[in-house]
Structures are given as structure tokens and as C-alpha cells.
Amino acid sequence: STQAAEQSSKGSGGSWYAHFVVHNLKGGHSGNFTVLVQPHWSPVGARRFRRLVEEHFFDQTRFFRVLKGFVAQIGISGDPDVAAK
């Protein structure tokens, strides 16, 4: 599941966090990670990412790889109706 949350610190330039909870990890475990989104780096990309998070596009989606502090590789939506859009 995913959730977008505004960053509370002042002077953040509109930065916000996307929180992800991940299930079915190795050994059947669950975990989580948080993405700090900096809209001033890429306003259009950040706006699109936020819309996808708010529409729950990433729910039931497989994350192929997450490298701490670097990248999260995400697949297509796990919901066929959403993926067809």
C-alpha cells in the first residue's frame, strides 16, 4: 500500500514523502520504505508520481528492486483495470 504525506519542515520547497509498505519479501516478511520527492528537481515528474500514489496505482504492484538511498524499480500496476489506462 502507499500513502503520500506532506513534509512538515519549513523551507522544503514543497517536498513530500511517499510511504510504501511492501509484503511478500524474502521469507514471507513485510517491510517499508519512504521516498522523499523533491518537486523542484522535476516538477512534471513529481506531479505525475503524486497523482499515481494518490490514485493507489502502486497498490498490488511488484517492486523489482530497491537499493537503499538510490533507486526503486517498479513494475506495472497489479490491478489490470489500472494498468490498462
Side-chain angles (χ1 to χ4, degrees):
S1 64
T2 57
Q3 179 181 17
E6 293 296 327
Q7 184 175 2
S8 59
S9 63
K10 283 189 170 184
S12 64
S15 299
W16 56 278
Y17 293 100
H19 303 285
F20 292 84
V21 177
V22 185
H23 304 284
N24 256 351
L25 297 173
K26 190 173 184 177
H29 299 285
S30 295
N32 61 71
F33 66 94
T34 302
V35 175
L36 171 59
V37 180
Q38 303 277 7
H40 62 280
W41 290 359
S42 177
V44 174
R47 198 168 32 253
R48 173 74 173 141
F49 182 65
R50 182 178 198 112
R51 186 172 50 215
L52 291 172
V53 168
E54 290 173 346
E55 292 174 357
H56 300 277
F57 176 87
F58 300 107
D59 290 3
Q60 303 301 316
T61 300
R62 292 180 184 255
F63 285 80
F64 296 104
R65 179 170 62 164
V66 176
L67 301 176
K68 186 176 180 177
F70 178 60
V71 67
Q73 292 179 314
I74 306 167
I76 61 173
S77 177
D79 181 340
D81 293 332
V82 172
K85 289 183 181 180

